[in-house]
Amino acid sequence: TDYPRDRKKVQKLLKNQMKKFPKYELAYRNLATHYMNNKRDFDAEKIFKEHIKLNSDNLDVSYYWLGRIYQKRFQFLKAEDNLLASLKLDYTDNTLYYLALNYIKIGEPEKAIPLLKDSINLDPEGEISMFLLADIYYNNKNYFESKKLLEKIIKLNPDNKEANELLKKLLVK
């Protein structure tokens, strides 16, 4: 469906699709995503939950975005539950990254390490997961592993500012 540019018209169109076809799960996901894009996370949360109640396909997407919403609100236990539910349905590098980030934010970086390794295995060029893992290694004084990852990131993207800065700090040690 081509959606109009005006966000109120988009919302009306998607709400009408949901009323007309209450099991049309794509309308739920599209409306929730539209709300998120317009910084209306509470509305998005409500629609993602309604989508989950449909018990339809692609629930991993709704669980993933609910996890991200809860992370933004510092509701890390709810974030963890939803990200784990998403992973059970679709094991993706992106969800692994955000679950790892969740563990870091609650002070459990050791739980993040295997998730980030899996994320990197799924996306060997995933700089963001590599950098987060390199940072954990650096903070745990595992400089050898940190350096290996940082060099790999810089080889993939020589302009990666964060990786270059951390590597410089590491080389001073």
Side-chain angles (χ1 to χ4, degrees):
T1 304
D2 287 328
Y3 295 114
R5 288 195 175 276
D6 181 284
R7 67 182 171 154
K8 288 186 180 182
K9 287 182 182 176
V10 171
Q11 288 169 210
K12 185 176 181 180
L13 176 69
L14 290 169
K15 285 180 182 178
N16 285 339
Q17 284 180 345
M18 288 167 55
K19 284 179 187 170
K20 202 172 186 181
F21 308 102
K23 301 259 184 222
Y24 183 52
E25 57 109 8
L26 192 57
Y28 288 82
R29 285 196 358 245
N30 287 345
L31 180 59
T33 303
H34 172 76
Y35 283 144
M36 288 192 66
N37 291 337
N38 288 285
K39 300 186 185 332
R40 294 179 56 186
D41 289 352
F42 288 98
D43 292 324
E45 175 187 13
K46 178 183 168 202
I47 300 300
F48 282 130
K49 285 180 176 180
E50 286 180 27
H51 177 242
I52 289 168
K53 285 180 187 172
L54 288 177
N55 201 20
S56 63
D57 295 333
N58 303 309
L59 294 181
D60 59 298
V61 175
S62 290
Y63 284 120
Y64 168 81
W65 284 110
L66 281 171
R68 297 281 311 276
I69 288 169
Y70 293 133
Q71 268 185 338
K72 280 201 255 179
R73 294 185 197 156
F74 304 100
Q75 295 175 304
F76 298 117
L77 291 176
K78 282 184 173 182
E80 177 185 20
D81 289 345
N82 282 278
L83 292 168
L84 285 169
S86 178
L87 279 176
K88 285 180 184 172
L89 297 169
D90 190 15
Y91 202 76
T92 68
D93 61 302
N94 209 27
T95 307
L96 287 162
Y97 168 81
Y98 281 103
L99 183 57
L101 187 61
N102 200 67
Y103 287 131
I104 290 166
K105 288 182 182 224
I106 61 173
E108 298 180 359
E110 65 284 347
K111 286 185 175 181
I113 293 171
L115 299 171
L116 291 167
K117 286 180 177 179
D118 280 359
S119 177
I120 294 165
N121 284 335
L122 291 171
D123 180 10
E125 295 183 1
E127 293 176 41
I128 193 166
S129 292
M130 277 188 258
F131 182 78
L132 193 55
L133 184 55
D135 192 50
I136 292 170
Y137 286 147
Y138 178 84
N139 290 324
N140 289 337
K141 297 180 177 33
N142 186 343
Y143 301 128
F144 178 75
E145 291 298 327
S146 182
K147 184 177 182 261
K148 276 192 340 188
L149 283 167
L150 292 168
E151 288 172 342
K152 185 175 179 182
I153 293 167
I154 293 166
K155 185 177 180 184
L156 290 168
N157 179 5
D159 297 326
N160 187 309
K161 186 178 176 181
E162 292 89 1
N164 279 298
E165 287 175 7
L166 187 55
L167 184 59
K168 282 179 190 171
K169 273 174 63 175
L170 198 145
L171 293 175
V172 172
K173 297 237 174 235

